[in-house]
Amino acid sequence: MLITLLACLAVPQAPDSDGNLLAAPTALFVDGATHTSVYSSGQQSDLRLKRAGAFDSLPGLMPNLTDRPRFRDGPWASVPGLEIDAFSTNINVVPADSDGILKAAGTGTNGWAGVAVAVDRLTAGVNETGRKAIYDAQQHGEIGADVFQFLYPDSVNVASDLVGAVFQAIDNRDIEFLNSAYPQIAGLDLTAALLAGEPNTFQGTFAGFKGVVFSVTEGTSQLIPGPWVSDQSVLKKGTTVFATEWTGSAWGDVEVLVDRGDLDLFEGQDLFALAWDNPDPWPESGGGPTLGTLLYSGDNPNHQAFMVVGHDANGPEAAQIKFPDAAPIKLGYAVGAHGSTSTAAERRNIRGICTVDPRFDWPKYHATPLPTVGLFGGTPEVPSSVWREDSGTGSGEELVAVLNNVPSGSFGVLYAVASGIGGVPLGTVWLSGTANEVDELRVPVPPGAGLFDLQWGVFDMGGPIGVSHLQQIQL
C-alpha cells in the first residue's frame, strides 16, 4: 500500500531554485571575462551546453557545442575575438499582439507560457512578494550566471502557485561557474540544448527548427566579417541582428535580419537578449530570412524589453513588451529585474531571453506541473521538474526527474501515476540536502505513447515529509 503524505509537512525554505524550469537544459554563451576565467581553450563565442539536472550529473556537462552535428562550425565561432551577447533559435514562441501584450495560449492542456531570463551581474532585484527571486539570489552572489523564470499571468492548466511569480530556475552552481568571479551569461536558449543532442532523437520533434539569430557586443563589432554586412559603416554594430540558416547538414550564409533603426536603438548602444519566433524564416523561393516576431532587450534606459513584428504593412514596428494586467507592466518589472546596483547596469538588466510555450512541442520533452493533487494528498512543497533528453551515452532517451530544497538524510521516490493503478515506484535517490544543489534521478523512457504522469514523494526514517507537483509529459 502506498503511503499517504501528510498535508501539513514542511520543507525548509531558502532562496532556492524552483519552478517548472528547475535545472533546465540550456545552451548559452558567456561574456569574454567569464570565458577567460573559466575556460582554458576555445573561443569566447563558443556556444556551450548545460544538460538537464545537476552540475555533476554527467562528465563534460558543458562541452563546446561546435562538436555537435547541428552546431559544428557555427559562424559565430569562426571569428577570433568576436563576442556574442544575444542568441536564439527560430522556435521561441512569442504570443504577443501588435501592442506588445504577451499572452499564454489560455485554453486547453497546453494553456500556459512563460519566459526564462538571465540578468546582469549587477542587478539588485526588488524585495517584493512574488517578484523577489532575483533579489534573494543576489544575496548569495554570482547572479549573472543564474536563470530565472516567469509564467505569464493568464496561464491556465498548470500549477497555480507557479503562475505570475518569478523563480530562480537554474543556479550558477549547476552551470559550472563556481571558479569565475562575477560570471555573466550573455545569451541563452533552452531548445538549442536539445537540438544539440547526439544522436538527435528530437529531430522529428523539432521539425520547425530552421536557424538562429545572434548579435555581437559593440566592443567587438568591428571584427564582424565583411561578407556578413552590405554597409560596413552602418551594420558593423552591436545592434545588428544576424541570421543563419541550418540546411540540414551545414550552416548557410550569415545575413542581416534587422538593424538598430528597426529596433529603436541608437549609435553606440548594444543589444543584450533575443527570442525569435518564425516558423518559416527562409522562403523556399529563395531570398533572405523573414523577420517574424523578435523579442529583444537592449541598452536603453526607457524600456526593459521590446518586440518587433515583421508582418506590419509599414515594415518592422517596435512595441514595448507588457502583460495583460489591469495596468500592463514591462518584462523587466514583471520579473523583478528593475533594481540595480549601478546606473549603467539598470540599462542592461536583462541579458538573456528564451520563451517557453508548450504549443511548440514542449510537452514532448518537458513535463507540465498540473494543478491537480495527484497520487498523494497535501500541498506540493518540493520543487521539481521532469525532462526528456538523449542520454548522451548511446543508450537512447531518458527521463531526468529533478527535485530540490529537501533536508539531508531523506530520500525521494519517483512514482509513475496511473488511474486505477495508483503509483508504481520508478526509482529512489538519497538526497544531499545541500542548499541550492539539486538532486536527480535518470530513468529510461518507458515504452508506449500518450500522457505519462510522475510525482515525487520525499521520506526520512520517520516517514513522509514532502510531495512534489504531479508532472505530466507526452511520450
Side-chain angles (χ1 to χ4, degrees), residues 263-272 296-306 320 330-333 337-340 342-350:
L263 304 177
D264 283 355
L265 296 173
F266 302 98
E267 180 77 23
Q269 292 184 324
D270 225 330
L271 186 65
F272 297 119
Y296 67 94
S297 180
D299 182 9
N300 189 320
N302 296 319
H303 67 265
Q304 293 288 344
F306 268 20
Q320 193 171 67
K330 306 172 187 177
L331 175 61
Y333 287 84
H338 55 289
S340 176
S342 78
T343 302
E346 180 74 33
R347 300 166 64 95
R348 58 175 188 260
N349 275 345
I350 294 178

Side-chain angles (χ1 to χ4, degrees), residues 82-87 186 213-224 228-229 231-242 256 258-261 263 265-274 294 296-299 351:
L82 195 67
E83 187 173 342
I84 305 300
D85 65 353
F87 174 84
V213 292
F214 63 94
S215 69
V216 307
T217 62
E218 178 66 17
T220 65
S221 61
Q222 292 308 302
L223 297 175
I224 293 171
W228 290 12
V229 295
D231 186 333
Q232 298 196 28
S233 63
V234 174
L235 299 175
K236 273 196 173 184
K237 303 293 181 182
T239 48
T240 300
V241 179
F242 297 99
V256 173
V258 287
D259 61 27
R260 68 175 185 270
L263 304 177
L265 296 173
F266 302 98
E267 180 77 23
Q269 292 184 324
D270 225 330
L271 186 65
F272 297 119
L274 293 168
L294 191 72
Y296 67 94
S297 180
D299 182 9
R351 298 297 299 271

Side-chain angles (χ1 to χ4, degrees), residues 309-316:
V309 182
H311 53 70
D312 187 280
N314 298 317

